[in-house]
Amino acid sequence: MDSFKRKTPEEILLSISKLHRGTLKIYIGPVSGSGKTYHMLREGNTLKKQGIDVVICAVSTLQRPETVEQLGDLERVPSIHWMKDGVEQKDLNLDALLERNPEVVLVDALAHCNRPDAMFETRLEDIQVLLAHHISVITTVNVYELEGYTELAQKLTGFAPECTLPADTLELADEVRLIDVTPEAILNRLAEGNLRGNKDATLFKRGNLGVLRELALRVVAEDVNVSLNEHREELGLVGPSGAAERILVTTQYHWNGSIYVRRGQQIAKRLNGELLVVTYRDFRRSLSKEEAAFRRSMVKLVEKVGGGFEELPLPGRRRIPYTLMAYALQHHVTRIVMGHSKQTRWQELWQGSVVNKMLRMARNMDLFLVADSAAHAGERVLPAHLSASKEKQKYRRLSSEEVEERIGHMRRGKFKVYIGAAPGVGKTYMMLRDGNDLLGKGVDVKIGLLETHNRQETQQQIGSLPLISRQKISYQNVQLEEMDTEAIIRSCPEVVLVDELAHTNVPGSKNKKRYEDVLEILEAGISVITTVNVQHLESLNDAVEQITGIRVRETVPDHILQLADEVQLIDVAPEALQRRMREGKIYAMTKVDQALSNFFKTGNLIALRELALREIADDVDERLESIERTSSLRGPWRRQEVIFIGVNSTPYAERLIRRGFRTAYRLKAAWYVNYVQVEAELSEELKQRLTALEKLTVRLGGKFIVHQARCDYKQIAQVLAAKADELGATQLVIGQSKQTLWERLARGSVVNKLIRRTRHMDVLIVADFDPNSEL
């Protein structure tokens, strides 16, 4: 229906101005040598084959073999050469380019500063002139060259670039594409002598490369988030998208306000989310001296932690939940952080409870109740001193089991995963390119399983790679083919390429899932390079369904990704992916319209792209923490967390288990899933249900426990609270109540009872997402 809406005069003028302006595409990477110029030149060659007039100017290959090869027969417009501190510089020859008037110019180093006598001081200004003359530009930039991130990169790595760009430079681009690269890949290129000519050699330490990589992922994720919010606003959608976290702390000018803000900031950091803080204020009266002091302190704290602060007019007490929920929906909030209710049960019934009302209203967002103990919370916000504990471990004798585990890890093959936001981004192409590069260096590489989906570019990339024949399996009188794991192990190549890690094998295969085959291959000492899409990660299953409306059935446990030595993202803008789709480069032309109307809708692709960027950024941060990197972007976390998850037998239980796992993983915490049995005897159906929940818990690395409530439904809250205390739980994870009013009156609310009994710990009430719910 949006296409029938009449455009405003401003929108019409903007559309006309864009017709007379060139297109700007920016390749961004963490550091020089990440492959930005290679991909830019590769795209230039592709455009030239399509009949588009492409030239290059001020492009520096630094004599890297792969990049030089991509120059092909692209026409070069000579740049203006000059010297600075004994180093040759290249400026754009603006006059020559305007006279030549190509359709597209490829130019390196967007953050370049021109010679002193140039017409413009910077390359960005040169490029804006080209764009104004209807010449499109494709260019490159490193993340640490963007102002705002320059200071952070310098603080984290000690390196400062000579030239920088305004912080909003990415907003000028019509398309931004991240070239993700792992520290291992950069260090390999450096060792092979393929990164000659770099002036920023101080960056080439593993920790620094990891920090800059994470920074690049997060910068592009923020850029994508802006696009997603704009797209959702155009469609009239409200509430969280499911791709990013936005934390709202609601507090008062009170002594415990700083505790709530700091707790919200910690959550925002660990979830890679944005922090908002609101407080209600009666503007009809002046603040007391004490309240004014608390206000100054809170404003200063929120500014320090990089959050947003806003004062809302104080409505009547019973209106607070409604105004708070309206604010949360308007600002795409995913989690509301607030204090536990301090009322008794009778006070809640008589006066009404803000917390209870929020529980009934917050269908599409989580509610996080901060532990009602200042001393306890203050003690627990201290960061964990990992280095001290590691120091003690150095001299401890390893057990026989630990020795065997370490030996097994040494014998295991290397494991690399290419991950993307959707099919067609180029994961298989990059896997094959890796295989050919290794083959050219004399490494024994074979293809174990390949799905080209008849994509021409992918088929051409096979090159000389030998293929191991598939195993034929008979199923329901039909001959089907699967990867022959035993044949791969017998063949014993150094490296095997395996496509589509999340694939479910044909019934009758040795293993149910392809990732289990891959684990066998790794245990045999064979290295594996594989591919997977972000929507196949088990713990993201609910987020993907919220984004796309589609429940992905084939999943991979998150620990498989954590086992990988390298995880590399293949990033593609949604418009580019849809363009590939329309050209028949992803699916057959008969399926294109259906795909573009469903999974490949613009909103879905933007949200999945952001989800992938943030997920890999978190993975990078976890790896930085594992090497005791003190400059982890998410900051330190608290010590000795224990996550206690209470579930019932409804389908909603899986969502709680996945959310509990993601919380525990980010906090490096032990976690337990708990079910209270009130039935005297379990039915066969319930037994199967509990078995399924236990399998999911174990697959994600948790422990599943069944407790008894002696056939008394009213004891469930008491049993769970007691067991949580017994396990030393610091955070309780439960679902929103689905009881009707009459059920709550007859039995009492398990959720409300449990919250009252656990005010000494943090409580996360997980949203029961309903895309059709309204305020």
Side-chain angles (χ1 to χ4, degrees):
M1 292 299 292
D2 191 55
S3 60
F4 293 97
K5 184 180 176 182
R6 181 183 288 117
K7 290 186 176 181
T8 65
E10 292 79 10
E11 289 173 328
I12 293 171
L13 286 172
L14 181 61
S15 299
I16 292 172
S17 68
K18 285 184 176 179
L19 290 175
H20 297 286
R21 180 183 177 273
T23 298
L24 176 61
K25 179 172 182 176
I26 298 176
Y27 281 96
I28 185 172
V31 69
S32 296
S34 55
K36 303 180 299 297
T37 305
Y38 170 93
H39 284 278
M40 178 182 72
L41 292 171
R42 181 171 161 241
E43 181 171 4
N45 279 299
T46 301
L47 293 173
K48 185 175 180 180
K49 289 176 183 175
Q50 295 170 356
I52 295 172
D53 184 15
V54 183
V55 301
I56 64 174
C57 186
V59 170
S60 301
T61 64
L62 298 178
Q63 298 305 308
R64 296 168 187 159
E66 292 177 351
T67 310
V68 171
E69 185 183 339
Q70 287 300 318
L71 284 171
D73 58 352
L74 289 169
E75 180 185 343
R76 184 190 295 269
V77 172
S79 54
I80 298 173
H81 294 240
W82 60 288
M83 300 298 291
K84 180 182 179 182
D85 300 329
V87 179
E88 186 181 53
Q89 307 287 324
K90 295 179 182 179
D91 286 2
L92 280 179
N93 193 334
L94 202 54
D95 292 335
L97 286 168
L98 292 173
E99 184 179 351
R100 171 65 178 75
N101 193 28
E103 291 179 273
V104 181
V105 175
L106 310 183
V107 55
D108 246 336
L110 179 59
H112 174 77
C113 294
N114 290 336
R115 64 198 184 282
D117 60 342
M119 184 181 300
F120 300 105
E121 291 184 6
T122 66
R123 181 159 293 168
L124 177 60
E125 293 170 286
D126 290 340
I127 286 174
Q128 287 173 324
V129 170
L130 294 174
L131 295 172
H133 282 77
H134 206 180
I135 298 173
S136 295
V137 177
I138 304 177
T139 186
T140 65
V141 70
N142 293 313
V143 68
Y144 54 79
E145 293 167 333
L146 296 171
E147 287 176 3
Y149 303 107
T150 300
E151 294 80 2
L152 181 56
Q154 184 176 6
K155 178 183 176 183
L156 296 172
T157 67
F159 174 80
E162 294 179 13
C163 299
T164 60
L165 291 163
D168 62 352
T169 299
L170 296 186
E171 296 174 23
L172 301 174
D174 299 277
E175 183 180 338
V176 176
R177 181 181 172 190
L178 171 71
I179 302 301
D180 184 37
V181 64
T182 63
E184 292 79 10
I186 288 284
L187 293 174
N188 283 339
R189 292 173 192 174
L190 188 66
E192 292 168 359
N194 291 332
L195 296 185
R196 296 186 298 273
N198 281 291
K199 295 175 289 183
D200 46 2
T202 55
L203 294 177
F204 290 87
K205 297 177 182 176
R206 194 191 185 287
N208 287 348
L209 291 172
V211 166
L212 291 171
R213 181 191 180 198
E214 182 182 354
L215 190 58
L217 285 157
R218 297 198 188 282
V219 167
V220 178
E222 287 302 318
D223 185 67
V224 173
N225 180 256
V226 172
S227 301
L228 179 59
N229 288 337
E230 289 174 353
H231 179 78
R232 287 173 61 81
E233 284 171 11
E234 287 175 8
L235 298 178
L237 299 174
V238 296
S241 67
E245 297 279 357
R246 183 168 286 190
I247 313 303
L248 175 64
V249 176
T250 173
T251 185
Q252 296 174 298
Y253 297 140
H254 191 261
W255 62 268
N256 61 5
S258 62
I259 293 176
Y260 297 164
V261 173
R262 287 196 176 277
R263 194 72 175 95
Q265 184 243 353
Q266 290 175 329
I267 294 168
K269 277 281 189 183
R270 298 309 290 186
L271 298 183
N272 184 25
E274 186 178 342
L275 176 68
L276 301 173
V277 179
V278 297
T279 183
Y280 284 103
R281 178 177 173 183
D282 186 352
F283 289 97
R284 295 170 298 180
R285 67 173 185 83
S286 300
L287 295 175
S288 66
K289 285 186 178 181
E290 186 179 47
E291 288 173 330
F294 283 132
R295 183 184 185 279
R296 287 193 298 271
S297 174
M298 187 175 296
V299 170
K300 188 175 179 180
L301 175 60
V302 174
E303 185 178 331
K304 180 181 176 182
V305 300
F309 179 77
E310 192 168 348
E311 292 178 314
L312 303 180
L314 180 67
R317 177 179 174 81
R318 293 185 183 275
R319 292 296 305 166
I320 288 177
Y322 296 96
T323 58
L324 186 61
M325 185 57 59
Y327 183 92
L329 285 170
Q330 181 185 353
H331 291 82
H332 312 291
V333 167
T334 58
R335 182 176 300 196
I336 298 175
V337 177
M338 59 196 305
H340 273 279
S341 170
K342 294 179 173 58
Q343 297 169 297
T344 65
R345 184 184 179 191
W346 296 111
Q347 286 174 324
E348 288 177 355
L349 290 171
W350 181 253
Q351 299 173 0
S353 164
V354 173
V355 170
N356 289 350
K357 190 67 176 176
M358 293 296 296
L359 284 173
R360 290 195 289 273
M361 294 174 63
R363 285 296 169 197
N364 289 356
M365 58 190 77
D366 298 344
L367 194 62
F368 189 95
L369 305 180
V370 180
D372 184 20
S373 170
H376 184 53
E379 177 188 335
R380 284 171 51 209
V381 296
L382 295 174
H385 297 289
L386 297 175
S387 56
S389 61
K390 288 281 185 181
E391 190 68 29
K392 294 176 184 177
Q393 297 291 322
K394 282 202 303 187
Y395 300 100
R396 186 178 65 81
R397 182 182 290 122
L398 297 176
S399 67
S400 57
E401 292 80 7
E402 289 171 324
V403 170
E404 285 298 318
E405 183 182 348
R406 294 199 182 186
I407 292 173
H409 184 75
M410 292 174 190
R411 289 175 177 166
R412 199 192 77 181
K414 293 288 182 183
F415 187 27
K416 181 173 183 177
V417 179
Y418 278 110
I419 190 168
V425 297
K427 303 179 301 297
T428 304
Y429 178 95
M430 292 299 293
M431 177 183 74
L432 292 170
R433 183 186 147 201
D434 265 9
N436 277 299
D437 288 346
L438 291 169
L439 197 64
K441 295 170 186 174
V443 178
D444 181 14
V445 184
K446 290 184 171 65
I447 297 174
L449 194 290
L450 179 64
E451 298 288 359
T452 65
H453 299 288
N454 295 317
R455 295 168 190 160
Q456 188 176 355
E457 288 181 352
T458 305
Q459 290 173 334
Q460 289 173 348
Q461 194 63 26
I462 294 173
S464 304
L465 290 166
L467 182 67
I468 295 175
S469 299
R470 301 190 190 195
Q471 178 185 15
K472 290 181 171 55
I473 298 175
S474 180
Y475 177 65
Q476 294 184 349
N477 299 320
V478 178
Q479 283 285 99
L480 300 172
E481 294 184 342
E482 285 292 359
M483 181 171 73
D484 196 334
T485 304
E486 292 182 1
I488 290 170
I489 293 173
R490 283 197 306 272
S491 176
C492 199
E494 289 178 89
V495 181
V496 65
L497 310 181
V498 178
D499 221 352
E500 299 189 359
L501 184 65
H503 171 77
T504 301
N505 292 333
V506 173
S509 303
K510 179 183 177 183
N511 294 312
K512 183 179 178 181
K513 303 286 292 186
R514 185 166 290 162
Y515 71 77
E516 295 173 316
D517 294 329
V518 165
L519 291 177
E520 269 195 45
I521 295 168
L522 289 168
E523 289 302 316
I526 300 168
S527 295
V528 176
I529 304 176
T530 187
T531 66
V532 73
N533 288 319
V534 71
Q535 65 262 29
H536 294 296
L537 285 181
E538 176 69 58
S539 70
L540 293 176
N541 203 254
D542 304 300
V544 172
E545 184 179 21
Q546 179 177 338
I547 290 167
T548 65
I550 298 169
R551 171 66 69 174
V552 176
R553 300 299 174 190
E554 292 191 317
T555 60
V556 173
D558 291 54
H559 73 84
I560 299 296
L561 209 64
Q562 294 152 25
L563 282 175
D565 300 282
E566 292 184 63
V567 179
Q568 188 165 325
L569 176 70
I570 305 300
D571 179 48
V572 174
E575 298 82 6
L577 197 58
Q578 289 174 329
R579 190 162 57 246
R580 288 186 192 178
M581 176 69 75
R582 292 188 187 97
E583 292 169 354
K585 293 182 178 179
I586 300 178
Y587 294 153
M589 294 302 293
T590 54
K591 298 180 179 179
V592 168
D593 289 340
Q594 182 183 0
L596 290 173
S597 301
N598 292 282
F599 192 84
F600 280 78
K601 287 191 295 190
T602 301
N604 287 354
L605 294 179
I606 298 174
L608 288 170
R609 184 188 183 196
E610 183 179 357
L611 194 67
L613 286 161
R614 294 185 185 279
E615 187 65 20
I616 302 307
D618 281 346
D619 180 78
V620 173
D621 204 277
E622 293 292 339
R623 291 170 194 269
L624 285 172
E625 288 184 343
S626 71
I627 60 171
E628 298 184 51
R629 176 79 184 181
T630 56
S631 52
S632 158
L633 293 186
R634 292 184 301 169
W637 191 250
R638 307 175 304 165
R639 65 184 72 198
Q640 297 177 340
E641 288 275 6
V642 177
I643 311 300
F644 185 95
I645 307 157
V647 300
N648 54 24
S649 59
T650 67
Y652 185 42
E654 280 94 348
R655 181 179 178 84
L656 285 176
I657 292 170
R658 294 188 188 100
R659 181 58 65 89
F661 158 74
R662 289 184 69 77
T663 301
Y665 176 62
R666 285 184 167 100
L667 308 188
K668 298 177 176 56
W671 62 289
Y672 304 87
V673 178
N674 300 265
Y675 174 82
V676 177
Q677 180 184 335
V678 294
E679 302 84 359
E681 194 169 322
L682 296 178
S683 66
E684 194 59 37
E685 182 182 353
L686 186 53
K687 283 181 183 177
Q688 292 176 3
R689 179 75 187 126
L690 295 180
T691 299
L693 294 178
E694 182 173 14
K695 284 182 178 178
L696 175 60
T697 304
V698 172
R699 193 160 69 241
L700 290 173
K703 187 173 181 182
F704 189 85
I705 307 171
V706 177
H707 308 288
Q708 302 290 330
R710 295 179 298 183
C711 302
D712 189 349
Y713 180 90
K714 294 181 179 180
Q715 283 191 346
I716 292 178
Q718 180 183 339
V719 170
L720 286 175
K723 295 300 179 183
D725 284 335
E726 190 179 307
L727 288 168
T730 57
Q731 187 174 142
L732 175 68
V733 179
I734 54 177
Q736 291 172 334
S737 175
K738 290 179 177 290
Q739 290 176 302
T740 65
L741 174 62
W742 295 113
E743 286 174 332
R744 288 200 301 272
L745 291 173
R747 294 178 167 183
S749 168
V750 173
V751 170
N752 288 357
K753 287 179 182 176
L754 196 51
I755 290 172
R756 278 196 295 273
R757 289 177 176 271
T758 55
R759 287 176 177 171
H760 57 290
M761 65 178 72
D762 295 333
V763 179
L764 173 63
I765 302 101
V766 176
D768 179 15
F769 178 74
D770 177 6
N772 300 312
S773 70
E774 297 179 357
L775 181 63

